[in-house]
Amino acid sequence: MEFVMIVEPDEVGRKRLEAVFQTEKPSFSYQITGRPEEALDILEHQKTDVLVCETSLSVLSGREFFTMAKMISPDTVRVAMTSAEHVKDILSFLNECDIYKLIMKPCASFADFIEPVNAALEYHRLKKQAESDLEQANMNLFFSEKDFERIEERQKENVMLYKQAAEVVMTMLKQHLTIGQMDSVGEYMMEHYLRDLLGYYLETMIHENGNYLMGYNRLKMNFIMRMPDKVSI
């Protein structure tokens, strides 16, 4: 559920809002506080879709509060509340702090308050959707579904390729390799060792685009300690 943080330092105004919210039952969750420092703390630790704040504060100025709010949670849509006599004071930082809406007090009705809040929520939804669409579009520039299918198909072809190549090389080795003084178990172990080695090497060569040095170094690191004793060619 979407969350709205409301800062109303005036106790009478705060209680009026709380009473109306209990009656109206908005579609979003909310918290109303009279302390801007509490609002900033909540903003830091809880995902907040819309922040509504009175600009006449005792501890901070409206500019300071909204500047800090923007730094803490840049994705939160900010809405300012003020009275007619303070409008000139906040015009200087409306753009600077990215204030989306301005609620003029006193509100003649609850609609005068809730409509800007709902508009800010809708703006937040649209902004998030636009960001998601852009991210998806950027992803599609690099990897489409067909790209992934081609990569998967190429991977299967590579697997078949090095298996076939390993079989060919193993056949040649069996025809020309003489293993002296080895029983059947030793020959079996040698054959599987060579098969593993060849498969690993061919796989490395395919995936490293024919980099022989890379294939050699990986084989040396992974197989040098496993080389069987008493092998003569």
Side-chain angles (χ1 to χ4, degrees), residues 6 8-23 30 32-34:
I6 303 168
E8 174 52 273
D10 179 63
E11 185 176 358
V12 175
R14 188 166 61 252
K15 288 182 177 179
R16 186 181 297 118
L17 273 176
E18 289 171 348
V20 175
F21 269 125
Q22 289 177 3
T23 303
Y30 64 92
I32 304 174
T33 181

Side-chain angles (χ1 to χ4, degrees), residues 27-38:
S27 60
F28 51 83
S29 62
Y30 64 92
Q31 184 165 341
I32 304 174
T33 181
R35 300 188 297 117
E37 61 273 21
E38 179 185 8

Side-chain angles (χ1 to χ4, degrees), residues 53-64:
C53 183
E54 163 66 63
T55 59
S56 297
L57 304 170
S58 57
V59 178
L60 301 169
S61 67
R63 180 194 293 271
E64 290 171 333

Side-chain angles (χ1 to χ4, degrees), residues 113-130:
F113 175 85
I114 202 65
E115 286 179 4
V117 174
N118 285 332
L121 285 168
E122 179 63 20
Y123 174 70
H124 185 267
R125 293 184 206 109
L126 293 173
K127 187 170 70 168
K128 297 303 289 184
Q129 184 60 52

Side-chain angles (χ1 to χ4, degrees), residues 172-182 187 190 194 229-233:
M172 296 174 62
L173 284 174
K174 285 180 182 180
Q175 292 176 353
H176 300 285
L177 180 65
T178 301
I179 302 176
Q181 298 180 351
M182 266 197 182
E187 291 181 9
M190 170 59 75
L194 290 174
D229 297 329
K230 299 180 181 179
V231 177
S232 61
I233 301 177

